[in-house]
Amino acid sequence: MIPETADSQGKHAMAADSYEAVIGLEVHTHLLTRAKLFCGCAAGFGAGPNENVCPVCMGMPGVLPVLNRRAVELAILMGLAAHCEISLYSIFDRKSYFYPDLPKGYQISQYETPLCKGGYIEIDPAGNGEPRRIRLVRIHMEEDAGKNIHEADASLVDFNRSGVPLVEIVSEPDIRSVEEAGAYLRELRAILRYIGASEGRMEEGNFRCDVNISVRRAGTSEYGTKTEIKNLNSFRFVEKAIEHEVKRQIEVLESGGRVTQETHLWDPLRQETRPMRSKEFANDYRYFPEPDLPPLRVSQELIDQIRAAMPELPADRRARFVHDVGLTPYEARVLSEEREVADYFEKAIAVGLKNHKGAANFVMTEVLRAVNESGKSLEQAAPSADETGALLKMVEAGTISLNAAKTAFAAMCKSGLGAAATVDELELVQVSDASAIGAACDSLIAAEPAKVAQYRAGRDKLFGFFVGMVMKAMAGKANPKMVNEILRKKLSG
Ligand SMILES: [Zn+2]
């Protein structure tokens, strides 16, 4: 192999610039129901192997599936949130393939008549408040398969996941970059969590993604040959896999080759995609209508009811944060990505805070840091929103400094004590007593005659030094605004 020189790297970069990636995503996500899609077994995560199983979800012959109404309602809710057309009539199909985790030899899915058609998700990866629409092809319902577990001396199957309700959300190939793919996935996950349709937890395997990728010369409209990368279970893997596959396809085309239509697996250890053996992906699934389930008929009343009960969506919340609360699009996006964080912020300012941007900043830095560093949920990691609001109110009233509020907040996270008690205990109340501050300024001026003379002769930079000395003399508790005012007056006099 010829070692790559700076020059050949430059050529690659130029070649890459003249191509455009064309990406479509298929997301599978578990619906948040108590029971499975076609039986009464628990659908939750975390039970011991094969604890949540029955003859229906283990695929025994002669059993009959019964459709879970709640799962249909959640799928419709997602369809409405994504601006889809909801089918009043749809059918379930058998998707035929055999795998040990699917012993009945088919998966119940929807093929020709999905429950939701069309629709779109708006993304704003640049964060400039100018969203772009990624169109959807469809959202359909299906059951999940079990899980194969390969150990050193045996292959095992856990059927707890078998029959758990899924929706598959299929986008049009409207995505053009890694950034857009990331923004799309984050928005989808946020919507699912806001409406309570799914927890969207990738680490538990209930939010998985297949990626279709092709590249074409920038400025052309024909699609190139696409490859599919299956079963990516983290945002980072999706991003890495897209980057790798786009680069690989450009290199194939640049060296005069042709991209072949095939399915790849992402290998997170080697950080590369590799083709699956062709036997592992038979694309002809021999779909046929599931004879054990009647067609799914949805009434317009049910759709209207679900629409009327739709919770506020992330995009609406962001817009409200920008227009009503006065935040920037960036702040609004960070604060509204998780519903709990957005709720927390709104509850905190509801105690009567005037400085909404200050509160937003405090939540984005102090509160989110506490969550990230502890690895716990917001509720477990931080004081209640009311207490954080009360703390910030003390800052607004000048009772404590912002730095003192940060100290108090960190202590409150550990102790569980309220704002007032913590500020008391740590003696953080700042001194706003003009005569005490004045006395400290007088002693400083008396102690530093040479520097005072320099300052009065025009060395303005010394002012910061004086402020620091007074703050130090008062153990950091003096009201900084008052120190500034009093000191300036005394030095000019
Ligand atoms: Zn079951």
Side-chain angles (χ1 to χ4, degrees):
M1 192 183 279
I2 304 163
E4 192 163 61
T5 61
D7 187 43
S8 73
Q9 271 177 1
K11 265 187 212 156
H12 274 306
M14 272 173 65
D17 279 348
S18 64
Y19 285 90
E20 168 177 81
V22 177
I23 302 163
L25 297 178
E26 294 173 11
V27 169
H28 288 85
T29 187
H30 283 166
L31 292 172
L32 200 51
T33 55
R34 283 199 302 273
K36 293 186 179 180
L37 188 52
F38 298 118
C39 62
C41 294
F45 174 84
N50 294 307
E51 280 183 8
N52 299 336
V53 297
C54 74
V56 173
C57 55
M58 289 177 80
M60 299 293 170
V63 295
L64 275 180
V66 178
L67 183 60
N68 179 337
R69 182 186 168 96
R70 182 69 188 144
V72 176
E73 290 172 354
L74 289 177
I76 293 173
L77 185 62
M78 182 57 206
L80 293 173
H83 317 277
C84 300
E85 178 197 333
I86 310 299
S87 310
L88 300 181
Y89 173 95
S90 63
I91 59 165
F92 285 95
D93 295 277
R94 291 184 174 185
K95 179 180 181 178
S96 310
Y97 70 99
F98 178 82
Y99 216 58
D101 58 14
L102 189 72
K104 67 187 178 211
Y106 59 86
Q107 175 190 29
I108 303 178
S109 180
Q110 293 191 305
Y111 186 52
E112 272 177 16
T113 58
L115 180 60
C116 314
K117 290 179 281 195
Y120 60 88
I121 301 287
E122 279 188 338
I123 58 166
D124 181 15
N128 56 9
E130 286 168 25
R132 203 165 89 70
R133 281 185 185 181
I134 306 299
R135 292 167 302 149
L136 300 185
V137 180
R138 58 193 276 155
I139 301 176
H140 67 256
M141 302 183 70
E142 61 186 29
E143 58 177 344
D144 207 349
K147 195 175 178 186
N148 292 319
I149 299 153
H150 302 293
E151 293 186 347
D153 53 352
S155 281
L156 308 165
V157 189
D158 180 357
F159 288 104
N160 283 349
R161 210 177 64 184
S162 173
V164 170
L166 288 171
V167 281
E168 180 172 339
I169 302 161
V170 183
S171 86
E172 295 280 0
D174 284 353
I175 296 164
R176 294 286 171 270
S177 66
V178 170
E179 292 72 30
E180 288 190 358
Y184 172 83
L185 290 173
R186 271 185 280 278
E187 185 66 10
L188 206 54
R189 182 175 175 277
I191 293 171
L192 285 159
R193 287 170 63 86
Y194 264 65
I195 63 177
S198 174
E199 287 185 286
R201 286 187 206 282
M202 283 192 142
E203 64 276 19
E204 291 173 12
N206 69 23
F207 190 92
R208 310 190 292 267
C209 184
D210 299 343
V211 185
N212 290 303
I213 305 180
S214 61
V215 298
R216 65 182 175 198
R217 288 272 175 196
T220 57
S221 57
E222 269 167 60
Y223 292 133
T225 307
K226 67 181 179 185
T227 58
E228 185 178 24
I229 308 170
K230 283 260 190 218
N231 249 333
L232 296 157
N233 62 0
S234 87
F235 288 165
R236 207 166 49 85
F237 287 169
V238 172
E239 289 168 352
K240 291 239 169 203
I242 290 174
E243 261 171 24
H244 177 275
E245 184 58 17
V246 167
K247 189 163 167 268
R248 190 190 70 82
Q249 291 189 14
I250 291 173
E251 281 169 7
V252 168
L253 296 177
E254 281 295 298
S255 60
R258 283 174 54 187
V259 174
T260 44
Q261 181 157 359
E262 56 194 1
T263 299
H264 286 235
L265 279 180
W266 171 245
D267 184 337
L269 291 178
R270 287 197 240 163
Q271 302 268 306
E272 61 183 27
T273 60
R274 56 188 164 79
M276 291 165 86
R277 279 184 297 125
S278 61
K279 275 184 193 166
E280 287 176 46
F281 66 100
N283 270 330
D284 186 356
Y285 291 112
R286 301 269 170 185
Y287 284 95
F288 71 91
E290 163 64 63
D292 289 339
L293 285 166
L296 174 56
R297 291 177 200 278
V298 176
S299 69
Q300 190 57 48
E301 283 131 280
L302 179 65
I303 297 171
D304 294 342
Q305 265 172 33
I306 294 173
R307 194 194 303 274
M310 174 78 69
E312 186 179 36
L313 294 171
D316 299 328
R317 196 154 214 188
R318 285 194 298 267
R320 201 157 55 74
F321 279 0
V322 170
H323 298 120
D324 301 351
V325 183
L327 305 184
T328 65
Y330 171 76
E331 292 162 342
R333 182 161 60 109
V334 174
L335 283 177
S336 59
E337 196 160 303
E338 294 286 352
R339 186 175 171 179
E340 305 89 88
V341 175
D343 288 345
Y344 189 94
F345 166 68
E346 287 208 275
K347 263 186 128 175
I349 58 174
V351 305
L353 295 181
K354 292 188 187 74
N355 181 0
H356 294 165
K357 278 183 98 67
N361 230 316
F362 197 86
V363 172
M364 284 164 62
T365 52
E366 306 308 311
V367 178
L368 289 183
R369 182 188 304 129
V371 173
N372 292 335
E373 284 179 359
S374 67
K376 294 181 193 158
S377 70
L378 175 56
E379 205 186 340
Q380 294 168 323
S384 73
D386 288 346
E387 288 301 332
T388 299
L391 187 67
L392 293 174
K393 212 166 176 187
M394 291 165 100
V395 177
E396 287 189 1
T399 314
I400 58 172
S401 68
L402 181 59
N403 268 332
K406 290 177 182 175
T407 307
F409 180 81
M412 286 158 72
C413 289
K414 292 202 178 78
S415 67
L417 282 177
T422 305
V423 165
D424 248 17
E425 190 181 289
L426 301 179
E427 297 178 356
L428 294 169
V429 172
Q430 64 186 2
V431 177
S432 299
D433 173 352
S435 63
I437 295 172
C441 295
D442 286 340
S443 343
L444 174 77
I445 290 169
E448 300 280 358
K451 288 210 165 68
V452 169
Q454 287 173 20
Y455 174 80
R456 285 181 174 152
R459 269 195 76 190
D460 292 344
K461 272 200 264 175
L462 279 168
F463 190 73
F465 163 78
F466 294 134
V467 171
M469 292 303 283
V470 172
M471 292 299 284
K472 198 173 165 195
M474 298 190 70
K477 285 181 192 155
N479 180 327
K481 201 172 153 223
M482 289 181 69
V483 171
N484 267 274
E485 282 168 14
I486 293 171
L487 199 52
R488 208 173 283 282
K489 211 184 236 170
K490 286 191 183 285
L491 284 167
S492 68

